[in-house]
Each structure stands twice: as structure tokens, then as C-alpha cells.
């Protein structure tokens, strides 16, 4: 595979939306492949995180699939099937259902969440290879300005 060199002047005229889209797809594909090699999926990790009072959940209470879907609306992908992912985690003993169709994180699920979170630095490390923290911060600040310029909200 050859990489075409584009001059800075040519790059300056290219659409940011194209490059952010290409970057998003590549980053997600890489992250998900790394997780799959380690035996889990990104949606499974998100389920564990959203049900853990030690992570995203404010209270550690159980949630229905619809509530989880709503909680993940800003990052879940259309192809993600939370019901199927939840079934896998129930089979592993990491989640359990109650009589009101709420999913609850088990003790084993909390330990799995902690263990799986330990993979993040290695996955991040590959993606950040050759990128100085200062350049990374500058990139994020530029992206945030694009968002504001487009009328979006930066949290």
C-alpha cells in the first residue's frame, strides 16, 4: 500500500469532516479488534461500566435495556445489539436479570470490569504511538473549536 503525500497547503483545503470520519472509523475498528482479541466487545464493556457504581452508574442500580440504550445514545453504534451482548454477559455470570427486566452487575461482573479496564492503556498506547501529548491536546482543542463553530456543544 502506498501513501500519497499531500502538501500542507493541500491538507489545509481538505474537509475536516472527511478526515474526522476516517479517523473515527479507524479508531473504532482498531479498538474493537483489540477488545475482541482479548475476548470481549466494546458494547459488553460499556454495559459493565454503565451498571457499575464504581464507574458510570451514579447509584449502581439495575437498568433495563431501554435505559441502557438511552444512557449510551451518544456512543453506541447502530450495529450494536445490547440484548445479545447482555445475554453473553449473563451467561458469563457478569450480569443478572431481575423480575422487572433490569440488568444488574454481579460481583464477578464488577471484577471483570476492573480487569477489562486494565487493557485500555495498551490499546491507547498503540493509537498514541508517535504522537506527543502536546500535539494530542492541540488536536482535541482544534476539534472542539470545529464543534463550537458548527453550533455544537463541547462538554
Amino acid at each position: 500500500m502506498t501513501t500519497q503525500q499531500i502538501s500542507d497547503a493541500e491538507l489545509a483545503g481538505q474537509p475536516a469532516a472527511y478526515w474526522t470520519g476516517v479517523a473515527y472509523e479507524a479508531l473504532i475498528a482498531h479498538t474493537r479488534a483489540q477488545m475482541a482479541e482479548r475476548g470481549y466487545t466494546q458494547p459488553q464493556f460499556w454495559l459493565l461500566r454503565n451498571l457499575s457504581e464504581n464507574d458510570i452508574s451514579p447509584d449502581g442500580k439495575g437498568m433495563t435495556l431501554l435505559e441502557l440504550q438511552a444512557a449510551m445514545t451518544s456512543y453506541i453504534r447502530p450495529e450494536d445489539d445490547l440484548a445479545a451482548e447482555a445475554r453473553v454477559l449473563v451467561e458469563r455470570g457478569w450480569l443478572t436479570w431481575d423480575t422487572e427486566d433490569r440488568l444488574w452487575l454481579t460481583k464477578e461482573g464488577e471484577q471483570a470490569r476492573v480487569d477489562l479496564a486494565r487493557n485500555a492503556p495498551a490499546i491507547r498506547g498503540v493509537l498514541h504511538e508517535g504522537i506527543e501529548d502536546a500535539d494530542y491536546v492541540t488536536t482535541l482543542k482544534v476539534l472542539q473549536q470545529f464543534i463550537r463553530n458548527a453550533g455544537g456543544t463541547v462538554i
Side-chain angles (χ1 to χ4, degrees), residues 100-148:
E100 296 175 357
D101 286 332
R102 291 183 158 316
L103 285 163
W104 291 83
L105 187 63
T106 65
K107 180 180 165 189
E108 296 79 10
E110 176 60 16
Q111 186 58 55
R113 183 197 63 79
V114 169
D115 293 343
L116 297 177
R118 290 187 182 119
N119 294 319
I123 294 169
R124 181 187 188 279
V126 170
L127 295 173
H128 284 246
E129 188 174 326
I131 301 169
E132 297 295 326
D133 284 348
D135 292 336
Y136 178 68
V137 169
T138 297
T139 300
L140 293 184
K141 287 180 178 180
V142 169
L143 290 173
Q144 290 173 341
Q145 188 60 48
F146 274 127
I147 294 165
R148 285 190 288 274

Side-chain angles (χ1 to χ4, degrees), residues 4-155:
Q4 179 184 9
Q5 291 294 346
I6 301 172
S7 72
D8 287 356
E10 290 172 311
L11 276 174
Q14 298 222 339
Y18 169 77
W19 287 108
T20 57
V22 171
Y24 173 77
E25 292 300 329
L27 295 169
I28 291 295
H30 173 82
T31 300
R32 288 184 173 213
Q34 291 299 302
M35 289 176 163
E37 283 182 16
R38 291 165 169 84
Y40 65 102
T41 68
Q42 193 171 43
Q44 289 169 356
F45 187 52
W46 290 336
L47 285 166
L48 297 174
R49 293 191 67 205
N50 274 274
L51 291 167
S52 173
E53 66 183 334
N54 299 310
D55 202 333
I56 296 174
S57 174
D59 56 17
K61 295 197 178 193
M63 297 173 75
T64 66
L65 284 173
L66 286 176
E67 290 168 333
L68 286 159
Q69 181 87 30
M72 298 181 205
T73 193
S74 67
Y75 50 89
I76 196 153
R77 292 175 57 97
E79 67 268 21
D80 294 339
D81 183 346
L82 288 185
E85 302 289 2
R87 283 192 296 274
V88 171
L89 297 180
V90 168
E91 290 170 10
R92 290 182 183 172
W94 295 355
L95 297 180
T96 187
W97 292 102
D98 70 13
T99 57
E100 296 175 357
D101 286 332
R102 291 183 158 316
L103 285 163
W104 291 83
L105 187 63
T106 65
K107 180 180 165 189
E108 296 79 10
E110 176 60 16
Q111 186 58 55
R113 183 197 63 79
V114 169
D115 293 343
L116 297 177
R118 290 187 182 119
N119 294 319
I123 294 169
R124 181 187 188 279
V126 170
L127 295 173
H128 284 246
E129 188 174 326
I131 301 169
E132 297 295 326
D133 284 348
D135 292 336
Y136 178 68
V137 169
T138 297
T139 300
L140 293 184
K141 287 180 178 180
V142 169
L143 290 173
Q144 290 173 341
Q145 188 60 48
F146 274 127
I147 294 165
R148 285 190 288 274
N149 291 349
T153 303
V154 175
I155 53 171

